[in-house]
């Protein structure tokens, strides 16, 4: 049989379909909101739905209408009430259901807005089991109710004593977002960003007031996990606001925004700032410092306003615009001119800050030159090994590729052949890579960057992640530590976290580091098998399955068969997010847990020891 001929004959007029807007969104949700997910990650689709609604309310505020936004979360249902102008009553249904319908095509009505394509609310509508919109204008309310993008009820206009604005209430569709659950922490972080970038705005989330007095200075302060080497430098004009300092940490850390949108993957404005900062510093000190020495340890917030911004995807995580406005003002030139004037003036006026920055650059230069020979040899070694790297089983999709699934790209860092073998056989070769360690890695606390190049495993891990020059080239969105659920596995986990905190803290700060949770127990009878991640889950499984079930205690990843393992790293994967806040001062944490204060640490362990009573049948 000629298979190719059969396929060709199947290609008829009947195979060509035209989908309605809401059906297309539901059929290809990734085009509109990126990945789906269940709320485990901060970039999962349910948070993008909230962001799309919030962006409209923020745009109203930016145009001078409505100083308060109220968000309520109750049993998976979100309500967002703003006090802007309210959607024009005759266009309420069209505004939330007809693609490419928006007031934002008129830049006179919405200047320097985030939502410009007339897509956002339509995506939320189509991907929600229930979506209700209410617009309030001059004492009149217009309400409509949708389900999965289909209009169920359009209510007649009625008089209500309500302030102008819009109320959107939606419940994500469990057919799209299976077993989803919102995490208050992720929502609060998103709302804080809105507050930091919009002075005078009050956001109320489930009764909690979120506002900012000092704007991006407050944002920078919250992002700091090490003390700044000098007071924050804050520079601002109508369309650009920058705040930054240096720390003693390695790496570069940027948080960039366009019209209030957090561009987590950077783009034109971030590249321009990094270039302009180097150029300005070189010219001010009249020395040709190395790029890496100038930017080592910098933590910066960059917020820019652009008319009709061009993003590289609907989720707006990377700015593609080359110009500030339709008249052709270059983003790059604008940021370069801004820093040349304002930063140069600041350094002339603050000689104490100028001296600290100079000292920091010189120290970075000395360290870099001390390891330059080792670094060159290590790069060559890593390049040769990468051609036939037995430690890395790579995947096809990478974080910085153009594939729409790039957000799903992951790498599991494992220890030992048995563990890496199980994951390698069970993984999705399209989006999941595996890097295998040999035994326990070195404790890098207190060591210099030199160790990254001298230690073969760390050098190859750095090369596999492609992070030597910063996160812009990171190859995997999720860097997952996968170790055994025993004392040795925990030790390896801590050693790896120490490595990243010591040399690549931006990887942790930007939310890329995770720990794989694997089941501790398998409880089963002849009819059913239950995998348990905690003792509480084990007890419940024993009760549910009846008397004398078979109980297996997993001690290592290698004990779990590849067929079983597949169920733990697919869509049901459980990951613990390794995250950093200001109160998690990295230096103090590492000094205590990984330093040489053995007696203090021993007393801490004794005081906090929990003895598990595990009985297996």
């Amino acid at each position: 049989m000629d298979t190719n001929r059969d396929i060709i004959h199947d290609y008829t007029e009947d195979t060509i379909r035209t989908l309605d807007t809401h059906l297309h969104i539901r059929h290809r949700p990734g085009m509109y909101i990126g990945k789906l997910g269940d709320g485990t990650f901060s970039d999962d689709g349910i948070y993008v739905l909230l962001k799309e609604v919030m962006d409209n309310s923020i745009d109203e505020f930016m145009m001078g209408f409505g100083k308060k936004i109220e968000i309520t979360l109750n049993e998976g249902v979100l309500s967002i009430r703003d006090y802007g102008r309210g959607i024009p009553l005759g266009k309420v249904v069209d505004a939330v259901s007809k693609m490419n319908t928006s007031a934002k095509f008129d830049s006179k009505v919405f200047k320097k807005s985030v939502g410009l394509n007339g897509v956002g609310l339509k995506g939320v509508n189509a991907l929600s089991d229930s979506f209700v919109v209410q617009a309030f204008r001059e004492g009149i309310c217009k309400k409509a109710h949708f389900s999965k993008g289909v209009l169920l009820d359009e209510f007649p206009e009625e008089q209500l004593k309500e302030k102008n604005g819009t109320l959107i209430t939606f419940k994500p569709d469990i057919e799209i977002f299976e077993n989803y659950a919102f995490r208050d922490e992720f929502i609060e972080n998103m709302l804080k960003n809105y507050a930091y970038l919009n002075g005078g705005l009050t956001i109320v989330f489930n009764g909690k007031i979120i506002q900012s007095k000092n704007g991006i200075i407050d944002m920078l302060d919250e992002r700091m996990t090490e003390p700044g080497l000098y007071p924050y430098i804050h520079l601002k004009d109508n369309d650009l606001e920058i705040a930054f300092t240096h720390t003693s940490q390695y790496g570069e850390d940027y948080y960039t925004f366009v019209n209030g949108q957090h561009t987590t993957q950077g783009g034109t404005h971030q590249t321009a700032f990094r270039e302009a900062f180097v150029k300005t510093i070189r010219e001010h000190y009249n020395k040709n410092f190395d790029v890496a020495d100038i930017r080592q340890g910098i933590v910066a917030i960059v917020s820019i306003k652009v008319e009709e911004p061009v993003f590289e995807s609907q989720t707006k995580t990377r700015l593609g615009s080359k110009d500030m406005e339709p008249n052709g003002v270059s983003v790059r030139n604008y940021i370069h001119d801004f820093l040349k004037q304002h930063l140069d003036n600041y350094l002339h006026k603050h000689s104490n800050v100028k001296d600290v920055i100079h000292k920091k650059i010189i120290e970075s230069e000395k360290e870099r030159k001390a390891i330059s020979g080792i670094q060159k040899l290590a790069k060559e070694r890593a390049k040769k090994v990468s051609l036939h790297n037995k430690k890395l089983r790579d995947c096809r999709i990478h974080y910085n590729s153009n594939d729409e699934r790039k957000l799903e790209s992951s790498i599991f860092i494992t220890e030992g052949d048995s563990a890496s073998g199980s994951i390698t056989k069970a993984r999705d070769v399209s989006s999941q890579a595996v890097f295998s360690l040999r035994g326990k890695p070195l404790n890098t606390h207190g060591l210099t960057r030199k160790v990254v190049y001298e230690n073969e495993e760390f050098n190859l891990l750095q090369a596999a992640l492609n992070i030597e020059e910063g996160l812009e080239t990171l190859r995997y969105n999720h860097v997952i530590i996968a170790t055994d659920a025993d004392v040795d596995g925990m030790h390896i986990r801590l050693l790896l976290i120490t490595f990243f905190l010591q040399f690549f803290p931006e990887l942790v700060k930007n939310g890329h580091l995770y720990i794989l949770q694997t089941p501790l127990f398998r409880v089963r009878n002849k009819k059913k098998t239950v995998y348990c991640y905690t003792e509480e889950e084990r007890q419940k499984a024993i009760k549910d399955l009846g008397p004398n079930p078979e109980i297996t205690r997993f001690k290592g990843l290698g004990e779990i068969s590849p067929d079983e393992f597949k169920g733990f790293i697919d869509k049901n994967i459980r990951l613990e997010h390794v995250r950093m806040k200001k109160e998690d001062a990295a230096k103090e944490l590492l000094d205590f847990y990984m330093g040489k204060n053995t007696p203090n640490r021993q007393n801490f362990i004794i005081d906090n020891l929990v003895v598990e009573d595990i009985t297996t049948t």
Side-chain angles (χ1 to χ4, degrees), residues 390-442:
K390 294 181 180 179
K391 287 187 169 294
L392 176 65
R393 283 86 167 178
D394 209 354
C395 55
R396 299 191 187 105
I397 298 169
H398 297 111
Y399 186 44
N400 285 294
S401 70
N402 293 320
D403 194 296
E404 67 179 40
R405 292 182 61 199
K406 62 186 177 181
L407 292 175
E408 299 176 16
S409 60
S410 304
I411 183 169
F412 295 96
I413 305 174
T414 69
E415 182 270 323
D417 294 335
S418 58
S420 61
S422 293
I423 294 182
T424 300
K425 291 175 183 177
R427 69 182 176 130
D428 175 357
V429 296
S430 177
S431 60
Q432 294 177 326
V434 181
F435 184 92
S436 179
L437 296 169
R438 185 182 66 252
K440 289 184 181 179
L442 182 70

XYZ file of all heavy atoms in Angstrom, residues 390-442:
414
model
N 28.605 12.940 27.304
C 27.849 11.850 27.905
C 27.060 12.315 29.130
O 26.155 11.634 29.575
C 28.803 10.714 28.287
C 29.462 10.040 27.092
C 30.380 8.918 27.532
C 31.030 8.240 26.331
N 31.953 7.140 26.746
N 27.442 13.472 29.671
C 26.725 13.978 30.841
C 25.388 14.603 30.467
O 24.471 14.663 31.282
C 27.574 15.025 31.564
C 28.744 14.426 32.323
C 29.429 15.501 33.134
C 30.411 14.860 34.102
N 29.723 14.057 35.124
N 25.279 15.112 29.260
C 24.075 15.819 28.840
C 23.303 15.029 27.793
O 23.832 14.712 26.736
C 24.446 17.198 28.282
C 23.288 18.023 27.723
C 22.308 18.404 28.840
C 23.800 19.273 27.015
N 22.056 14.699 28.128
C 21.121 14.175 27.124
C 20.186 15.325 26.799
O 19.269 15.625 27.570
C 20.309 12.990 27.658
C 21.068 11.681 27.705
C 21.852 11.559 28.987
N 22.342 10.187 29.201
C 23.082 9.835 30.232
N 23.447 10.728 31.143
N 23.482 8.586 30.367
N 20.433 15.977 25.696
C 19.734 17.219 25.386
C 18.333 16.967 24.842
O 17.971 15.835 24.491
C 20.540 18.042 24.380
C 20.300 19.534 24.530
O 19.426 19.914 25.330
O 20.975 20.320 23.849
N 17.549 18.049 24.797
C 16.217 17.987 24.203
C 16.211 18.839 22.931
O 17.206 19.465 22.589
C 15.165 18.476 25.198
S 15.480 20.131 25.862
N 15.088 18.857 22.236
C 15.027 19.535 20.940
C 14.644 21.016 21.073
O 15.052 21.838 20.264
C 14.004 18.844 20.033
C 14.340 17.386 19.752
C 13.455 16.827 18.649
N 13.654 15.389 18.491
C 12.803 14.470 18.915
N 11.683 14.832 19.513
N 13.055 13.181 18.745
N 13.833 21.328 22.079
C 13.326 22.694 22.242
C 14.089 23.390 23.355
O 14.260 22.833 24.433
C 11.826 22.675 22.584
C 11.030 22.051 21.444
C 11.312 24.075 22.861
C 9.599 21.747 21.813
N 14.543 24.599 23.087
C 15.275 25.359 24.097
C 14.590 26.685 24.379
O 13.839 27.209 23.547
C 16.721 25.574 23.654
C 17.480 24.298 23.509
N 17.892 23.825 22.284
C 17.848 23.364 24.424
C 18.524 22.661 22.461
N 18.503 22.369 23.749
N 14.880 27.234 25.539
C 14.178 28.411 26.055
C 14.263 29.598 25.109
O 13.300 30.337 24.943
C 14.776 28.772 27.418
C 14.069 29.877 28.156
C 12.681 29.923 28.226
C 14.795 30.865 28.806
C 12.035 30.921 28.934
C 14.156 31.866 29.524
C 12.779 31.883 29.580
O 12.146 32.876 30.280
N 15.377 29.784 24.460
C 15.546 30.941 23.586
C 15.312 30.632 22.108
O 15.703 31.381 21.244
C 16.947 31.541 23.777
C 17.048 32.305 25.078
O 16.401 33.316 25.248
N 17.825 31.789 26.013
N 14.645 29.506 21.845
C 14.264 29.205 20.473
C 12.959 29.912 20.151
O 12.346 30.540 21.001
C 14.081 27.696 20.290
O 12.922 27.264 20.972
N 12.514 29.815 18.888
C 11.263 30.462 18.484
C 10.062 29.544 18.621
O 8.949 29.918 18.280
C 11.376 30.940 17.032
C 12.383 32.066 16.878
O 12.444 32.945 17.726
N 13.176 32.025 15.829
N 10.285 28.320 19.091
C 9.191 27.366 19.243
C 8.245 27.833 20.336
O 8.673 28.270 21.402
C 9.754 25.984 19.592
C 8.721 24.882 19.432
O 7.728 24.921 20.173
O 8.912 24.001 18.580
N 6.927 27.742 20.090
C 5.953 28.220 21.077
C 5.984 27.408 22.362
O 5.461 27.819 23.389
C 4.535 28.202 20.489
C 3.981 26.819 20.202
C 2.576 26.869 19.636
O 2.304 27.756 18.815
O 1.766 26.006 20.005
N 6.638 26.210 22.337
C 6.721 25.380 23.536
C 7.976 25.655 24.356
O 8.274 24.937 25.303
C 6.692 23.897 23.140
C 5.368 23.418 22.567
C 5.438 21.937 22.270
N 5.697 21.164 23.468
C 6.172 19.912 23.466
N 6.451 19.312 22.318
N 6.369 19.258 24.590
N 8.700 26.711 24.018
C 9.984 26.964 24.685
C 9.842 27.136 26.198
O 10.765 26.833 26.946
C 10.671 28.181 24.084
C 9.898 29.487 24.233
C 10.588 30.607 23.469
C 9.790 31.892 23.550
N 10.433 32.971 22.791
N 8.666 27.612 26.653
C 8.470 27.782 28.088
C 8.455 26.456 28.824
O 8.642 26.389 30.030
C 7.166 28.542 28.357
C 7.143 30.009 27.926
C 5.759 30.606 28.124
C 8.174 30.822 28.699
N 8.218 25.349 28.091
C 8.184 24.031 28.709
C 9.575 23.402 28.821
O 9.720 22.347 29.441
C 7.278 23.099 27.899
C 5.824 23.573 27.819
C 4.981 22.685 26.927
O 5.432 21.558 26.615
O 3.887 23.107 26.538
N 10.574 24.000 28.209
C 11.907 23.401 28.187
C 12.465 23.262 29.600
O 12.445 24.190 30.388
C 12.854 24.233 27.322
O 12.963 25.535 27.844
N 12.964 22.051 29.901
C 13.464 21.746 31.251
C 14.750 20.947 31.158
O 15.001 20.253 30.168
C 12.431 20.916 32.034
O 11.182 21.561 32.107
N 15.556 21.042 32.218
C 16.722 20.167 32.343
C 16.729 19.606 33.762
O 16.579 20.339 34.734
C 18.045 20.907 32.036
C 19.222 19.922 32.115
C 18.255 22.113 32.925
C 20.530 20.483 31.564
N 16.846 18.288 33.867
C 16.941 17.618 35.161
C 18.416 17.400 35.492
O 19.153 16.802 34.698
C 16.228 16.264 35.121
C 14.747 16.356 34.904
C 14.206 16.223 33.641
C 13.882 16.579 35.968
C 12.832 16.305 33.424
C 12.511 16.663 35.773
C 11.981 16.523 34.504
N 18.852 17.888 36.642
C 20.220 17.651 37.105
C 20.157 16.490 38.083
O 19.565 16.612 39.163
C 20.810 18.906 37.763
C 20.741 20.103 36.816
C 22.252 18.651 38.188
C 21.180 21.403 37.437
N 20.730 15.357 37.708
C 20.621 14.140 38.513
C 21.982 13.692 39.007
O 23.025 14.173 38.542
C 19.986 13.004 37.691
O 20.916 12.600 36.672
C 18.696 13.438 37.046
N 21.952 12.729 39.928
C 23.200 12.165 40.471
C 23.179 10.658 40.275
O 22.220 9.988 40.659
C 23.308 12.505 41.962
C 24.584 12.000 42.627
C 24.427 10.599 43.204
O 23.340 10.290 43.722
O 25.396 9.814 43.109
N 24.213 10.150 39.626
C 24.341 8.701 39.463
C 23.692 8.177 38.190
O 22.758 8.755 37.650
N 24.199 7.034 37.738
C 23.725 6.455 36.485
C 22.302 5.930 36.577
O 21.523 6.042 35.631
C 24.655 5.314 36.051
C 26.043 5.820 35.692
O 26.141 7.001 35.326
O 27.007 5.036 35.793
N 21.931 5.347 37.736
C 20.605 4.749 37.845
C 19.515 5.806 37.781
O 18.510 5.650 37.084
C 20.474 3.933 39.132
O 20.731 4.754 40.268
N 19.721 6.907 38.505
C 18.723 7.976 38.509
C 18.604 8.633 37.145
O 17.504 8.821 36.623
C 19.067 9.016 39.568
N 19.753 8.975 36.565
C 19.714 9.629 35.257
C 19.170 8.679 34.188
O 18.492 9.101 33.259
C 21.107 10.119 34.853
O 22.014 9.036 34.757
N 19.436 7.395 34.373
C 18.915 6.414 33.421
C 17.406 6.351 33.439
O 16.758 6.310 32.382
N 16.816 6.341 34.640
C 15.354 6.302 34.762
C 14.715 7.527 34.132
O 13.739 7.423 33.373
C 14.946 6.209 36.233
O 15.324 4.981 36.789
N 15.267 8.712 34.436
C 14.698 9.949 33.889
C 14.889 10.005 32.382
O 13.988 10.402 31.644
C 15.325 11.185 34.574
C 14.938 11.232 36.048
C 14.884 12.465 33.876
C 15.459 12.436 36.790
N 16.064 9.588 31.911
C 16.344 9.637 30.477
C 15.363 8.778 29.694
O 14.871 9.173 28.632
C 17.787 9.176 30.198
O 18.699 10.055 30.882
C 18.085 9.210 28.713
N 15.051 7.610 30.216
C 14.124 6.712 29.516
C 12.682 7.201 29.596
O 11.881 6.922 28.708
C 14.231 5.305 30.101
C 15.550 4.619 29.801
C 15.639 3.280 30.505
C 17.000 2.619 30.255
N 17.125 1.333 31.005
N 12.354 7.930 30.675
C 10.966 8.344 30.887
C 10.660 9.730 30.331
O 9.501 10.078 30.134
C 10.651 8.330 32.383
N 11.658 10.520 30.042
C 11.469 11.939 29.698
C 10.802 12.135 28.341
O 10.747 11.230 27.502
C 12.825 12.640 29.678
C 13.699 12.174 28.503
C 15.059 12.812 28.500
N 15.894 12.279 27.441
C 16.567 13.029 26.577
N 16.511 14.342 26.641
N 17.315 12.466 25.644
N 10.348 13.352 28.129
C 9.887 13.801 26.817
C 11.115 14.372 26.103
O 11.617 15.437 26.464
C 8.809 14.874 26.991
C 8.347 15.484 25.671
O 8.894 15.119 24.621
O 7.442 16.340 25.696
N 11.607 13.675 25.102
C 12.858 14.081 24.447
C 12.714 15.410 23.726
O 13.712 16.041 23.362
C 13.353 13.005 23.454
C 13.709 11.731 24.188
C 12.307 12.730 22.381
N 11.491 15.834 23.509
C 11.274 17.104 22.834
C 11.613 18.295 23.726
O 12.222 19.258 23.277
C 9.812 17.198 22.367
O 9.573 18.453 21.761
N 11.240 18.211 25.013
C 11.377 19.392 25.870
C 12.109 19.156 27.184
O 12.284 20.091 27.963
C 9.987 19.956 26.184
O 9.203 18.994 26.857
N 12.559 17.909 27.453
C 13.201 17.615 28.734
C 14.604 17.051 28.519
O 14.780 16.002 27.908
C 12.364 16.614 29.537
C 11.013 17.179 29.972
C 10.158 16.161 30.698
O 10.194 14.972 30.388
N 9.376 16.616 31.673
N 15.605 17.757 29.045
C 17.006 17.325 28.970
C 17.431 16.765 30.327
O 16.793 17.013 31.351
C 17.899 18.491 28.569
N 18.542 16.025 30.324
C 19.065 15.425 31.554
C 20.561 15.672 31.628
O 21.292 15.427 30.656
C 18.792 13.904 31.608
C 19.342 13.322 32.912
C 17.307 13.602 31.472
N 21.031 16.168 32.781
C 22.469 16.339 33.017
C 22.834 15.478 34.217
O 22.256 15.622 35.300
C 22.807 17.807 33.301
C 24.280 18.075 33.455
C 25.046 18.451 32.368
C 24.906 17.953 34.692
C 26.414 18.691 32.502
C 26.263 18.193 34.840
C 27.018 18.555 33.736
N 23.821 14.590 34.040
C 24.166 13.615 35.076
C 25.444 14.010 35.816
O 26.500 14.191 35.211
C 24.349 12.231 34.445
O 24.705 11.289 35.421
N 25.320 14.146 37.141
C 26.482 14.398 37.982
C 27.172 13.081 38.349
O 26.550 12.025 38.299
C 26.058 15.092 39.286
C 25.437 16.480 39.172
C 24.839 16.877 40.515
C 26.491 17.505 38.761
N 28.423 13.188 38.742
C 29.147 12.013 39.223
C 29.453 12.218 40.705
O 30.384 12.919 41.084
C 30.443 11.811 38.438
C 31.192 10.521 38.815
C 32.494 10.373 38.043
N 33.459 11.406 38.394
C 33.807 12.422 37.603
N 33.259 12.546 36.418
N 34.704 13.318 37.999
N 28.616 11.631 41.560
C 28.835 11.776 42.990
C 28.469 13.163 43.497
O 27.817 13.946 42.812
N 28.909 13.457 44.710
C 28.587 14.742 45.323
C 29.453 15.858 44.748
O 30.680 15.725 44.698
C 28.787 14.666 46.840
C 27.748 13.820 47.560
C 27.958 13.865 49.061
C 26.936 12.994 49.777
N 27.116 13.003 51.242
N 28.828 16.971 44.355
C 29.631 18.093 43.853
C 30.345 18.811 44.996
O 30.069 18.566 46.173
C 28.576 19.001 43.198
C 27.299 18.672 43.886
C 27.383 17.216 44.246
N 31.228 19.679 44.628
C 32.028 20.435 45.587
C 31.179 21.483 46.299
O 30.259 22.055 45.714
C 33.173 21.122 44.835
C 34.172 21.945 45.632
C 35.035 21.027 46.496
C 35.052 22.753 44.671
